[in-house]
Each structure stands twice: as structure tokens, then as C-alpha cells.
Amino acid sequence: MFWVSVVFCAALLFIFLPAVLACLIYQRIPVDKNKRRFLKGLTLYPAAMAGGSYYGYHYERRHQVKRYYDVRFPQTADAAGLSIAQISDVHLGKFFSIEDLRQLLQLAAADEPDILAVTGDLFDDVQMNPEAVKVLDEAVDLFPKGIYFCIGNHETYRNWGRTAQLLAKTRVHMLIGRAEKVPGTNLWLAGAEYSFSRDDESFALEKAAFTQKAVKDIPQEELVNTILLAHHPEYIDNGAELGIPLTLTGHTHGGQVGIFGLPLIPMYKYNRGFVKLGASLGYVHSGNGSWLPMRIGCPPEIAYFRLVD
């Protein structure tokens, strides 16, 4: 799979290189020494791509970065000082083992957050999922106010019914179209289901309906004391429409390849980091696992949110 990463980077190169050569030929520009030097320099690109792939495969994707944020939250939530850690898009499988998951949970707990939020695409391997459920349940003791999980699209692909039955027997809070109040506070956590609608209109209608379903048990006046968990980042819009102050999402992996903190190929409306809509905030997590087994300029992360008044 390392060579898959090399091929991916090389593909980007070979989109660029022919375009440059075609431009030179089309313009019929005489080749002088500077141009010869430029063309010779292009031969360094494959080496650079291979080196970048090696770095992205063997180093960056394996090193979790911790990010810390203070988020203003209504005093009515009685949650000032509460800390929430977020992980997302672990994608258990060839590139993320059960032991990797155990270490990730321990790493997230090392900063002593009160809550762990898991925003989908954790359970992504039919054979590994049962053991992963056990590991997640064992980690509940590391987070004083619990672990809260919302579903992603990959859980659905990997025999979700079986995994849901196993999770139901654990202490993990499954927030799938429902909400719970965090013990000892007025803070609610709600979890939305994933929308599989493809066209824009159906997608907008379905995610709006899923958001309403997730918060149906929360009194209207307490939506300002709510954190919405949703896998797809466009649920940030729905959280803001309801006046929910913070929506935590994932799904995009931050693009996996970026430059200056921005994805090289932005594929989504919201790709990475914070989104501010009026008085509401959304956060798009960069993920802890990988699509392709490499990351460049977009390391996996554990995000911490400390609620302040």
C-alpha cells in the first residue's frame, strides 16, 4: 500500500508535467539554457513525490496531533470548565489496528477530558469490530462523564446491526437519532444519523429531518445547552439553524493532503477546522485514520474543547 501512495502522488505530478510541456510546445518557445535547467529540474519531482509518500506513509499518518480550543458556552448549561475530547474516522482495518485504537484512547485520556466524543467511522472491519467494541467499553473508565458515539457511513457498510447489538451491552452512549443529558450538568449531547441521499435537495431534507429527530427530546429552550454530534460536516448548518452552539463532525479526513493548513483538493462544503455561523460554531475533525495510507500536511488529530462562559 506504500506504493499505492507513491502512485497517487505520481498521478498528481503527471497531471502537472504534461501540461507544462504542452504549453512549451504550443507556444513554440525556443529552448534556452534556463529552460533546459527548468526541464531537468522537473526530473526531481518523482523523487520528491516518492520521498513525500514515504514520509506520509511511515511518519505523519502515525503521529496524532493534539489541538486545544476554548469554546464559549451558555452559562445555563452549568458546564463551565468541562472538557470534551473528539476522535473521528479511525477506520479500523489494515492501517489501524486494535492496539492502535487502544493507544489512541489512552492518548486522548492523558489530558483528562471529562467526555470523549466519537463522530463516526470507527467500526470499519467486520472481523475487528467485536474486539473494538470491547476496547471502547474498557476505555469508558478513562473519561469521567462517559464516551458518546454517533454513527458514520462506514459503520453501515460493515454490518452495523451486529455492531449495534454489541454496543448496546456496553457503557458507551450510542447517540443515533437521540440525545442524552450529561450527568451533573444541564448539557445535552445529541447524535444525528448519517444521510445517504445523493441529490442536493433530498440530502438537505433528510439531514434536517435527522437533526430534528436527534434533538426531539430536548426542550426548545435547552437547545442552547446542546452539542450536536454528526458525521457529515454539513450538519453544521442544521445545528446553527436550531441555535445549537457547537456541532462536532468528521468524515472529510481534512483532505489528508494539505498545504498551509488547507486541503490540497477541497471536496466538501466544510473541509477542516472551525466553521462559524452566526453565534454557532462547527468543527470538522481531520480524522485519526486514513483513506489512502498516507497523510501530508494534514496529520491525524485529537481535538479538545473546553467549555468556558
Side-chain angles (χ1 to χ4, degrees):
M1 290 308 299
F2 164 68
W3 290 109
V4 172
S5 302
V6 173
V7 170
F8 174 75
C9 285
L12 294 178
L13 166 65
F14 292 123
I15 290 171
F16 170 74
L17 182 57
V20 173
L21 293 176
C23 182
L24 290 175
I25 293 169
Y26 177 77
Q27 296 183 36
R28 300 178 183 277
I29 298 173
V31 177
D32 59 21
K33 291 182 179 180
N34 289 332
K35 292 186 180 65
R36 289 184 185 278
R37 195 176 299 116
F38 168 72
L39 292 173
K40 287 179 180 178
L42 287 180
T43 63
L44 297 176
Y45 275 81
M49 289 297 181
S53 298
Y54 185 90
Y55 164 81
Y57 177 81
H58 287 285
Y59 182 80
E60 186 168 318
R61 76 179 181 91
R62 300 174 184 271
H63 288 76
Q64 306 286 337
V65 172
K66 293 187 175 184
R67 307 189 193 280
Y68 304 90
Y69 305 104
D70 285 347
V71 175
R72 292 201 173 278
F73 219 77
Q75 295 182 18
T76 52
D78 190 30
L82 201 71
S83 177
I84 300 157
Q86 182 193 8
I87 62 173
S88 191
D89 298 270
V90 168
H91 290 289
L92 283 169
K94 291 181 180 179
F95 311 123
F96 211 104
S97 69
I98 292 294
E99 185 56 33
D100 291 332
L101 174 61
R102 184 176 285 108
Q103 292 178 11
L104 173 63
L105 294 168
Q106 292 171 350
L107 187 62
D111 288 74
E112 301 183 348
D114 300 285
I115 293 169
L116 177 66
V118 185
T119 48
D121 281 8
L122 166 59
F123 302 104
D124 199 12
D125 186 288
V126 172
Q127 300 303 318
M128 296 169 66
N129 288 350
E131 183 63 25
V133 168
K134 294 179 184 178
V135 171
L136 195 63
D137 187 35
E138 292 168 0
V140 169
D141 294 326
L142 302 176
F143 303 93
K145 293 191 180 296
I147 295 177
Y148 293 79
F149 168 85
C150 79
I151 193 171
N153 53 317
H154 277 252
E155 274 89 15
T156 305
Y157 303 150
R158 304 290 186 252
N159 195 353
W160 167 243
R162 178 191 182 205
T163 304
Q165 289 178 350
L166 295 172
L167 274 174
K169 299 175 183 178
T170 72
R171 297 167 293 165
V172 176
H173 300 265
M174 276 198 298
L175 300 182
I176 302 172
R178 56 186 292 271
E180 289 186 22
K181 185 176 284 189
V182 176
T185 74
N186 291 324
L187 174 68
W188 289 85
L189 291 182
E193 297 167 70
Y194 185 86
S195 173
F196 285 94
S197 294
R198 296 303 180 189
D199 65 275
D200 291 345
E201 184 177 358
S202 297
F203 177 64
L205 290 172
E206 188 168 64
K207 68 187 180 73
F210 284 162
T211 305
Q212 289 289 348
K213 180 181 178 182
V215 303
K216 66 183 184 299
D217 294 327
I218 304 176
Q220 183 70 30
E221 65 275 11
E222 293 191 41
L223 287 175
V224 295
N225 299 336
T226 301
I227 296 175
L228 176 65
L229 308 182
H231 186 61
H232 198 289
E234 288 192 36
Y235 278 85
I236 292 172
D237 294 336
N238 302 94
E241 288 170 3
L242 294 177
I244 292 173
L246 180 62
T247 300
L248 302 180
T249 71
H251 189 54
T252 71
H253 297 207
Q256 283 201 199
V257 178
I259 183 170
F260 303 126
L262 298 173
L264 187 63
I265 305 175
M267 297 174 59
Y268 298 92
K269 181 179 180 180
Y270 307 126
N271 289 278
R272 182 177 177 183
F274 275 108
V275 177
K276 183 171 176 55
L277 298 174
S280 298
L281 285 176
Y283 190 80
V284 186
H285 194 281
S286 291
N288 300 101
S290 303
W291 291 316
L292 290 171
M294 59 171 290
R295 283 177 174 265
I296 298 175
C298 185
E301 67 174 352
I302 303 169
Y304 294 89
F305 306 91
R306 186 168 66 97
L307 306 184
V308 298
D309 55 25

